Amino acid sequence: ASEMFTTFMDGQTNVDIHVLQGEREMVDDCRSLARFKLKVPPLPAGLARIEVKFLIDADGILNVTARDQRTGEERSVEVKPSYGLTDQEVERMLLESFDHAEEDLNLRQLIEAQGEADSALRATEKAFESAAAAKLKPDERANIDRAMAELMSARGGKDHRVLRDKLEAFNEATQHFAEVLMNSAVRTALKGKALKDA
């Protein structure tokens, strides 16, 4: 199996790969098998492409490899089945996953929505420092500020549905600002270039 991941923070220089065993949604409810770091170049959040591959061989040895798609940097770890789980432990883990499925899923959805909210708020605060922010009309800026405050308030709550609603409202409030930023970035990139050079 393989899965793609990316970075969360601007300028992040490594990614922590944590290999777990279990049926639950949250890390604390699973069993830690291995952990290692992969170095990545300091890029804006979300640009890195990290592919993590999981391979189990016939002897039950798990090989986990993380590779930066841009640089080719690769790290791997081998997890040997030094201590397995009894049939009773496996059954207990499965039953726990069924018993806590709804609670675990709600918590995971909340954490994912909080991460998206954090990214959106950070990007908007950074965008407010740009020259394009000065082009916002006062009522548009007030609308964005109000949506930011509501999103921050919902971010501290426990209901992922409320947070998703506020995130959607925030995205709507900032849509025109995002267009202004994009147009400004394109104009800057094309400044002084002829159409044939673009």
Side-chain angles (χ1 to χ4, degrees):
S2 71
E3 198 167 336
M4 295 297 289
F5 296 92
T6 190
T7 51
F8 181 70
M9 300 290 291
D10 289 342
Q12 194 171 324
T13 57
N14 61 57
V15 176
D16 193 24
I17 309 296
H18 191 185
V19 184
L20 300 147
Q21 178 182 30
E23 299 294 323
R24 303 282 298 276
E25 294 284 340
M26 305 309 297
V27 170
D28 291 344
D29 298 319
C30 295
R31 179 173 151 189
S32 180
L33 297 178
R35 191 175 214 136
F36 62 97
K37 290 187 185 303
L38 175 71
K39 290 187 183 221
V40 294
L43 297 169
L47 281 186
R49 294 286 171 254
I50 313 298
E51 182 181 28
V52 180
K53 289 185 178 179
F54 304 88
L55 178 67
I56 299 177
D57 69 14
D59 296 322
I61 296 173
L62 171 65
N63 244 308
V64 181
T65 304
R67 183 173 191 274
D68 184 336
Q69 298 290 299
R70 286 177 179 265
T71 65
E73 176 86 17
E74 187 174 284
R75 292 281 314 270
S76 63
V77 68
E78 189 176 86
V79 181
K80 296 180 181 174
S82 55
Y83 61 100
L85 295 172
T86 66
D87 289 343
Q88 289 83 8
E89 287 173 312
V90 171
E91 186 178 349
R92 179 186 52 78
M93 289 171 85
L94 284 169
L95 289 173
E96 282 179 1
S97 74
F98 294 143
D99 291 343
H100 298 280
E102 186 177 351
E103 168 192 335
D104 287 355
L105 185 59
N106 285 335
L107 183 55
R108 178 180 174 171
Q109 289 176 326
L110 177 64
I111 290 169
E112 287 173 353
Q114 286 172 333
E116 286 180 43
D118 290 345
S119 294
L121 290 167
R122 229 183 359 262
T124 303
E125 285 169 3
K126 188 175 177 182
F128 280 154
E129 298 169 8
S130 71
K135 296 177 183 175
L136 288 174
K137 294 177 182 168
D139 61 329
E140 186 178 3
R141 175 63 192 254
N143 191 30
I144 292 172
D145 288 340
R146 186 172 37 260
M148 277 181 90
E150 289 176 4
L151 182 57
M152 283 186 220
S153 176
R155 198 241 174 264
K158 300 289 183 202
D159 189 340
H160 67 90
R161 288 174 288 272
V162 170
L163 182 51
R164 284 274 172 216
D165 289 345
K166 295 302 179 187
L167 190 54
E168 190 175 321
F170 178 76
N171 288 335
E172 286 175 21
T174 57
Q175 185 174 355
H176 179 254
F177 184 33
E179 291 168 7
V180 169
L181 287 167
M182 185 63 73
N183 290 340
S184 176
V186 169
R187 273 195 301 278
T188 302
L190 296 178
K191 192 173 185 179
K193 289 188 179 181
L195 190 56
K196 62 181 173 53
D197 299 330

